Amino acid sequence: MIAINIKNLTFGYDVPVLNNVNITINDGEFVGIIGPNGAGKSTLIKCICNIIETKGSVEVFGKPKEDYTSKDLAKIISYVPQSSDRVFNFTVKDYILMSRYPYTKSFASLGEIDYEACEEAMSVTGTKAYQNRLITTLSGGERQKVAIASAMAQKGKIMLFDEPTTFLDPKHISQVMKIVKRANENATVLMVTHELNTIFDCTRVIALKGGEIVFDDKPGAFFENRVAEEVFDTEFNYIEFENKYFIYPK
Amino acid sequence: MKKKFIILLLITLIVIFVCSFFGVKNFTPRELFEEETRNLWLSMRLPRIVLGFIAGSCLALSGMSFQSLFRNPLAEPFTLGISAGATLGCVVCVTLGITGRILGFTALPLFAFAGALVSVFFVYYLTNIKKNFSTGDMLLAGIGVNFFFSALILMLQYFGREYNLAKIMHWTMGGVDIIGYEKIIEILPFVLIGLFFLFKSTRELNLLSVGEDIAVSRGVNVGAVKKIIFFSSSLMVGAVCAVCGPIAFVGMICPHIMRLIFGYDNRRLVFACFMFGGTFLVVCDTLTRTVIAPTELPVGIITSLLGGPFFIYLLFKKNK
């Protein structure tokens, strides 16, 4: 079943950020989206979840996304944004519960099912221990896990991650990647990343450059064909270990 | 949390009750058993207390919603130029000598509402014209609108009749000194509609306060919610300005104090701001009646004296 079908997607003010992009993503896939800064990676996933309006079409489970109401689309697609400073302060639990918005009506209280979804998201992401703490008191890694828990509580069949491991230490990178993989058990995952060593966990890698797709295949092919040089315009060192490649710029 | 709300409610009721006895003429509870004094209290003091409470609540709630919407602690109807727009609407109405009713509503609040909407329109579309318009830019746009409308008000005052001039001068200082309930009843439909929509939008405001990207991805129709907030705040601020004139900084001070006690969740904050905003203005108004009695100060002077330093404090805190 096709989860997302993107046709002729174009976006940009003066210079095109995305240029006639066509992608078909099947249900259950774990797609890593890579590319240099400004390649249009974040823009692509923001287009999918309606944050940015673009030319072209995006179909979600066979239906144009414009045909969904805002709430109905949010029941299908969850989004984890890049980390940012938050001016207003909520407790972790309150913040995660806010993601149940598409399932509730005006003036109605949250129901048992909403609290269950929140509990489940907190236990999967390991955020339950600090559920009553304010978000601004958390470390970067803890905040990122809370952001993922918040998206998980939304119970979408498609999850979009925008650089989930940026600014994190190795311990938190490992923890976050385990959570992302766990999310893929119940949802199609699209993950924008600059951590090239994390894409081995993906089932498919799409590389963008200058708003166009320059690579779309399995992660193994990305390393074996030495595509990184072409995508990032720089040389890389490759280390092969236990049938996996590790890569870092020269 | 429930305990805190009960305490706030009790404080609100006690403060309002106590404040109603103090003024140029002080009353004692026992005096209310005398018919003449009770009539005086009911027709002069109580309407003023009720209006003060409504005005304070509306301004605090508008401030709360704008601060969440723009994710900026300095946003409020006064700093965004909405009060200035509403005041300009009132000044135009008075200068043109328009009285009576339009579509069943009194002309003055309608003009104030229209003025508030015009300034909201200005600020909102200025921010939409420029790409990457920050919330800080939004406030600067509000200050620009404030200056522009203030200049128009001055111009209308300059060319206006002497009788209107004194009326407008007194009005622009902000005050809740009224007699009887007529003006309260006139603005009540505007206030109630505004309150309904603001209370309805608290969950959307929570998500917007975290970020527009998050709000959209969680299913909020951001464009529609923004319009609802602008519309309902304009209704309330317009109504308040029509009777009380522009009262500065209530919309900034009250939500901040309430956040310290009740946290950032707008679902709780909306009740807290409603009670505290009203109580705050009633107390400020009581001060204006008593500080240099028998002379009365306009309440806008007291709120500005408190709000100015508070604004600078927030500015420094934000920059830190």
Side-chain angles (χ1 to χ4, degrees), chain B:
Chain B
M1 196 56 76
K2 261 185 190 171
K3 207 174 166 185
K4 283 183 186 173
F5 272 111
I6 291 168
I7 292 170
L8 180 64
L9 181 65
L10 285 175
I11 291 172
T12 302
L13 294 172
I14 291 167
V15 169
I16 287 173
F17 184 70
V18 170
C19 283
S20 72
F21 293 104
F22 292 99
V24 175
K25 176 181 171 20
N26 291 335
F27 298 100
T28 59
R30 190 177 289 173
E31 281 177 313
L32 292 185
F33 290 101
E34 298 161 17
E35 198 183 343
E36 198 182 326
T37 317
R38 188 169 62 241
N39 286 343
L40 203 65
W41 184 81
L42 282 172
S43 63
M44 292 191 72
R45 187 60 52 76
L46 198 59
R48 188 169 176 159
I49 297 282
V50 173
L51 179 64
F53 189 84
I54 291 173
S57 298
C58 287
L59 293 172
L61 287 172
S62 299
M64 179 205 86
S65 48
F66 284 130
Q67 284 158 22
S68 294
L69 193 63
F70 299 133
R71 295 175 295 285
N72 194 312
L74 302 174
E76 67 132 350
F78 193 77
T79 51
L80 289 170
I82 297 164
S83 297
T87 309
L88 177 65
C90 293
V91 172
V92 168
C93 185
V94 171
T95 309
L96 295 176
I98 299 168
T99 50
R101 291 172 175 270
I102 302 167
L103 300 169
F105 294 104
T106 322
L108 200 61
L110 276 183
F111 269 77
F113 169 56
L117 264 189
V118 168
S119 36
V120 160
F121 177 85
F122 259 122
V123 176
Y124 182 66
Y125 280 95
L126 279 174
T127 59
N128 275 1
I129 289 167
K130 192 182 152 191
K131 284 170 215 162
N132 304 323
F133 212 93
S134 71
T135 54
D137 293 335
M138 174 90 76
L139 283 180
L140 289 176
I143 290 167
V145 170
N146 238 326
F147 278 128
F148 182 69
F149 285 168
S150 298
L152 288 178
I153 292 167
L154 281 174
M155 200 167 79
L156 287 170
Q157 281 178 311
Y158 187 79
F159 290 110
R161 287 186 203 157
E162 224 167 273
Y163 165 74
N164 287 341
L165 188 67
K167 201 174 166 186
I168 292 166
M169 276 285 282
H170 179 74
W171 193 3
T172 49
M173 288 180 197
V176 292
D177 42 328
I178 55 160
I179 299 167
Y181 298 91
E182 198 187 335
K183 286 185 175 174
I184 296 173
I185 293 165
E186 277 175 11
I187 63 165
L188 215 51
F190 295 85
V191 170
L192 290 177
I193 294 168
L195 284 177
F196 172 79
F197 283 112
L198 274 194
F199 273 76
K200 189 176 176 288
S201 308
T202 50
R203 289 177 318 139
E204 287 84 353
L205 280 173
N206 274 349
L207 284 160
L208 278 163
S209 72
V210 178
E212 269 189 38
D213 287 7
I214 290 281
V216 172
S217 68
R218 301 302 186 252
V220 176
N221 186 341
V222 172
V225 171
K226 274 185 178 175
K227 281 173 194 151
I228 287 171
I229 298 297
F230 285 143
F231 177 79
S232 48
S233 293
S234 300
L235 268 178
M236 296 198 307
V237 174
V240 169
C241 270
V243 184
C244 311
I247 299 173
F249 297 121
V250 176
M252 192 172 62
I253 298 171
C254 297
H256 283 289
I257 295 173
M258 287 299 95
R259 276 190 199 102
L260 292 175
I261 300 165
F262 292 94
Y264 285 72
D265 189 334
N266 285 295
R267 287 172 306 168
R268 293 192 275 265
L269 208 55
V270 76
F271 292 103
C273 283
F274 178 78
M275 287 191 273
F276 184 73
T279 311
F280 177 79
L281 199 60
V282 167
V283 171
C284 285
D285 185 47
T286 307
L287 288 175
T288 66
R289 294 195 300 262
T290 51
V291 171
I292 51 166
T295 307
E296 280 191 31
L297 283 169
V299 73
I301 292 177
I302 297 274
T303 58
S304 294
L305 281 173
L306 294 170
F310 193 75
F311 183 90
I312 294 165
Y313 160 73
L314 283 177
L315 202 62
F316 274 93
K317 198 178 154 208
K318 193 167 172 261
N319 287 340
K320 269 184 187 174

